[in-house]
Amino acid sequence: MLPFSPLQIWTPRIFQALLAAFADVKFFFLIRTLENRDTAAWTFFCYLCSWFSWYCCTRTLTNSMETTITCLALFYFPLPESKTHSSKKYVALVSLAIIVRPTALIVWLPLLIYHFWKEDDKLKLVTHTFFPIGASALVVSTLIDCIFYEKWTLVQFNFLKFNVLHSVADFYGSHPWHWYFTQGFPVVIGPHLPLFLHGCFLAFKRYKVLLAAVLWTLVIYSFLPHKEFRFIYPVLPFCLVFSGISLASLKSWRRAAAFFLLVSNLAAGLYTGLIHQRGPLDTMSHLGTLCDISSISSPPQPDVLFLMPCHSTPFYSHVHCPITMRFLECPPDLGEDGYIDEADRFYDNPLLWLRTSFPYKHSVPTHLVLFDVLEK
């Protein structure tokens, strides 16, 4: 492993932040070409005030990258009266988004159909843009995956097979069908929700394709039992277009509404960004100091055991040195009879699991990481 350096932790975040900032600028330029200067300014204000964007845009999640690429692609999409559209550029970006996360196709399918429907030369659009760019992206992606997996594999198909056809994602939790409409979407859009609903009435005819993409995405995701807030993050920029149009139309109440948006989103953003579930990150910062100890050859070498739900910490992505670390594993059930993952076995009987896993004193780890609830 490379010598530990904070740059190894911060570089991916900085890259994602710069890319997100670039997408923000593109979003503003797009709105400025579609609306008047006043509406564009207030729409961009709404966009910048989203607490969920603050929370997610710089995180190194595929959903964050998918959303960023979606914003860039929207800049080139042929929206009504758009002056920045370029079919090849937006299709290339959409293809990249699908390669990064195949679920991007759900968001973009209504938009692609809309473009196809509006296009005069449909055959040329398919044969000169959709097919060659999409096929090229798939071929390049497949070749890269085959090189690294060292066998022929189609990641997009595996993604569909495991998460949809075999419902493996259900292993990590499920929610009722209405969750996105009653909880997920209201939380993600946050204080912008009233403005979004108002904006839907004001700009329905002009931006109905964006609204259709939002509703389509929520409906399709509602069929999948496993649901998370971040899954619908890519449609948030679409929603904020409507919120901005609504805010610009308020006139006398505009400044009061803007102040409310800023304060409420700031409170949520500061809490989720600085306080909410920060324990795992602080823990990894502390464990990073063990790298200095591991460089000394004298025993005992650091050996860390995480007694907490699997994937609760960033693990080796934040500790770039050869210390031994282990967490309770929770691989999905692939059809094994009576399957119980390691994490569940531990929580069923912690003492029995510890005695079985560490029968000898010399095998006991030097450091334990656990939530205080388990300690009590």
Side-chain angles (χ1 to χ4, degrees), residues 352-370:
L352 176 62
W353 185 89
L354 288 170
R355 292 193 188 102
T356 305
S357 301
F358 305 100
Y360 305 107
K361 186 176 181 179
H362 65 81
S363 64
V364 175
T366 59
H367 295 75
L368 290 179
V369 181
L370 64 158

Side-chain angles (χ1 to χ4, degrees), residues 275-315:
I275 300 174
H276 178 64
Q277 294 184 348
R278 68 167 296 125
L281 291 178
D282 291 341
T283 298
M284 300 314 294
S285 298
H286 175 72
L287 292 178
T289 61
L290 298 179
C291 293
D292 298 330
I293 300 176
S294 67
S295 62
I296 303 174
S297 59
S298 60
Q301 289 292 302
D303 186 348
V304 184
L305 174 63
F306 294 86
L307 295 177
M308 53 178 61
C310 59
H311 310 301
S312 294
T313 70
F315 213 54

Side-chain angles (χ1 to χ4, degrees), residues 4-262:
F4 174 73
S5 169
L7 283 177
Q8 294 167 331
I9 298 174
W10 285 100
T11 299
R13 299 186 194 179
I14 293 172
F15 173 77
Q16 176 63 34
L18 292 175
L19 195 60
F22 179 66
D24 293 347
V25 173
K26 284 291 189 180
F27 180 85
F28 173 69
F29 286 146
L30 171 64
I31 298 302
R32 197 172 66 174
T33 64
L34 297 175
E35 302 289 341
N36 59 56
R37 181 177 294 271
D38 187 57
T39 302
W42 287 110
T43 301
F44 194 52
F45 172 82
C46 286
Y47 181 84
L48 294 180
C49 275
S50 170
W51 78 270
F52 198 78
S53 286
W54 296 346
Y55 180 60
C56 284
C57 70
T58 61
R59 300 179 72 186
T60 50
L61 300 169
T62 54
N63 306 93
S64 300
M65 182 62 74
E66 176 191 358
T67 303
T68 299
I69 298 173
T70 292
C71 268
L72 295 174
L74 189 64
F75 179 80
Y76 298 106
F77 182 77
L79 288 168
E81 300 182 26
S82 172
K83 301 179 181 65
T84 61
H85 63 84
S86 170
S87 296
K88 286 183 169 56
K89 289 182 180 179
Y90 102 78
V91 172
L93 287 167
V94 170
S95 300
L96 177 61
I98 295 172
I99 295 302
V100 170
R101 188 170 177 84
T103 52
L105 181 60
I106 297 175
V107 177
W108 277 97
L109 187 59
L111 299 171
L112 292 170
I113 294 174
Y114 170 84
H115 184 193
F116 177 79
W117 182 262
K118 290 291 185 179
E119 184 67 26
D120 294 329
D121 194 343
K122 294 179 173 55
L123 181 61
K124 183 179 180 181
L125 177 65
V126 173
T127 57
H128 287 63
T129 304
F130 284 178
F131 179 76
I133 294 177
S136 299
L138 183 61
V139 168
V140 171
S141 171
T142 302
L143 289 176
I144 293 174
D145 291 331
C146 291
I147 291 172
F148 282 92
Y149 280 104
E150 298 183 346
K151 64 178 181 179
W152 287 102
T153 184
L154 187 60
V155 170
Q156 291 73 28
F157 173 73
N158 290 340
F159 185 94
L160 175 67
K161 181 176 69 173
F162 280 94
N163 290 289
V164 180
L165 302 181
H166 292 175
S167 299
V168 174
D170 302 359
F171 178 78
Y172 298 102
S174 60
H175 297 80
W177 66 268
H178 56 77
W179 186 84
Y180 280 120
F181 291 96
T182 57
Q183 298 181 54
F185 182 72
V187 168
V188 169
I189 197 170
H192 291 84
L193 181 58
L195 294 175
F196 166 73
L197 296 175
H198 180 227
C200 289
F201 287 100
L202 296 178
F204 171 77
K205 289 185 177 180
R206 187 168 187 182
Y207 297 115
K208 57 187 175 183
V209 63
L210 296 182
L211 184 58
V214 173
L215 293 176
W216 163 264
T217 301
L218 294 179
V219 169
I220 294 301
Y221 272 125
S222 295
F223 284 104
L224 303 177
H226 181 63
K227 300 174 176 66
E228 294 188 34
F229 295 112
R230 61 188 175 94
F231 290 171
I232 58 173
Y233 178 33
V235 301
L236 182 58
F238 299 176
C239 300
L240 297 178
V241 172
F242 295 96
S243 298
I245 292 173
S246 170
L247 183 60
S249 71
L250 293 182
K251 305 302 180 184
S252 59
W253 289 95
R254 182 190 299 171
R255 293 190 179 277
F259 179 76
F260 169 75
L261 280 181
L262 180 61

